[in-house]
Amino acid sequence: EAGVAQSPRYKIIEKRQSVAFWCNPISGHATLYWYQQILGQGPKLLIQFQNNGVVDDSQLPKDRFSAERLKGVDSTLKIQPAKLEDSAVYLCASSLDHSRSGANEQFFGPGTRLTVL
Amino acid sequence: AQSVTQLDSQVPVFEEAPVELRCNYSSSVSVYLFWYVQYPNQGLQLLLKYLSGSTLVKSINGFEAEFNKSQTSFHLRKPSVHISDTAEYFCAVSDLKAAGNKLTFGGGTRVLVKP
């Protein structure tokens, strides 16, 4: 079974530039998550999708961050314009269906390491 | 809102020695508890989880964790570590009353196993 795919693995940009990250979840997984992991901290949820709908985006800085999952499969996270404090690893995860009973395991991709200069 | 505290940011340990990683969470409501491991330059992998039933849960590679509801803790232990256990370990909590199976992570504990 193929895992969660993310690209690019690394990205270096200057502040005020734009950047986009791509995630392809495990086939059949309805729920997709984007996390931000700042160096020395645990991952923090940015946004959660169920198919192509948003379940939770309460911690997404909407003035500069946006995300979409138009066809309910792969997803793109964008930052525009980037700030120095956006330097972090951006992790994508997927699970079967968060709405089912029990805690569906989240499977994580390798992440995209963003450096903002 | 739920919060998770991992008291030790780094734990150096000699090979074949025991290790314990501490995790406390804030809420006393019903929760699911998880330990994830992150090897260098890799994504997070689920190590073990507590959903219900026996409070002692075990992984296939010798780790175990015990859910203690009264102390709101979920400490991770291994009686004898290997060099390959060098990694960062994250404790996470899912609040059953929160929407979306949302995970709240602790800050992580970096384990460095020395020969």
Side-chain angles (χ1 to χ4, degrees), chain B residues 32-58:
Chain B
Y32 293 145
L33 296 156
F34 306 83
W35 276 99
Y36 280 84
V37 58
Q38 188 173 33
Y39 298 105
N41 297 315
Q42 295 186 28
L44 279 77
Q45 302 172 33
L46 182 66
L47 188 60
L48 46 75
K49 62 185 177 184
Y50 170 79
L51 305 182
S52 63
S54 172
T55 57
L56 183 65
V57 291
K58 299 183 179 184

Side-chain angles (χ1 to χ4, degrees), chain B residues 9-25:
Chain B
S9 60
Q10 291 190 66
V11 174
V13 57
F14 286 105
E15 194 173 16
E16 298 184 5
V19 70
E20 179 180 75
L21 309 183
R22 295 175 291 171
C23 172
N24 288 88
Y25 58 97

Side-chain angles (χ1 to χ4, degrees), chain A residues 90-105:
Chain A
Y90 291 85
L91 296 166
C92 180
S94 69
S95 66
L96 274 171
D97 184 343
H98 80 88
S99 61
R100 293 182 182 176
S101 61
N104 286 302
E105 178 181 348

Side-chain angles (χ1 to χ4, degrees), chain A residues 9-10 33 35 37 40-43 45 48 55-56 58-59 91 95 98 102-106 108-110, chain B residues 32 34 36 38 41-46 49 51 88 90 94 99-108 110:
Chain A
R9 291 295 309 276
Y10 304 92
Y33 312 79
Y35 290 88
Q37 186 179 15
Q41 299 180 19
L45 180 69
Q48 177 183 344
V55 175
D56 184 352
S58 57
Q59 298 197 82
L91 296 166
S95 66
H98 80 88
N104 286 302
E105 178 181 348
Q106 293 186 27
F108 285 80
Chain B
Y32 293 145
F34 306 83
Y36 280 84
Q38 188 173 33
N41 297 315
Q42 295 186 28
L44 279 77
Q45 302 172 33
L46 182 66
K49 62 185 177 184
L51 305 182
E88 189 152 21
F90 292 93
S94 179
N101 198 29
K102 176 181 175 179
L103 288 178
T104 301
F105 285 87
R110 190 174 299 274

Side-chain angles (χ1 to χ4, degrees), chain A residues 40-111:
Chain A
Q41 299 180 19
K44 182 186 80 172
L45 180 69
L46 292 175
I47 188 167
Q48 177 183 344
F49 292 94
Q50 175 74 3
N51 296 310
N52 61 351
V54 175
V55 175
D56 184 352
D57 64 357
S58 57
Q59 298 197 82
L60 186 75
K62 297 180 186 65
D63 58 333
R64 298 184 300 107
F65 286 64
S66 64
E68 59 184 16
R69 194 185 183 199
L70 293 176
K71 296 183 179 180
V73 180
D74 55 350
S75 176
T76 302
L77 176 70
K78 296 180 181 178
I79 308 176
Q80 179 180 10
K83 293 185 175 181
L84 296 177
E85 58 260 37
D86 298 332
S87 293
V89 176
Y90 291 85
L91 296 166
C92 180
S94 69
S95 66
L96 274 171
D97 184 343
H98 80 88
S99 61
R100 293 182 182 176
S101 61
N104 286 302
E105 178 181 348
Q106 293 186 27
F107 295 83
F108 285 80

Side-chain angles (χ1 to χ4, degrees), chain B residues 2 4 10 17 19 25 34-35 48 54 58 69 72-73 75-76 84 96 111 114:
Chain B
Q2 189 68 259
V4 179
Q10 291 190 66
V19 70
Y25 58 97
F34 306 83
W35 276 99
L48 46 75
S54 172
K58 299 183 179 184
K69 187 175 182 179
T72 59
S73 68
H75 301 331
L76 180 71
S84 59
L96 297 188
V111 173
K114 302 177 180 180

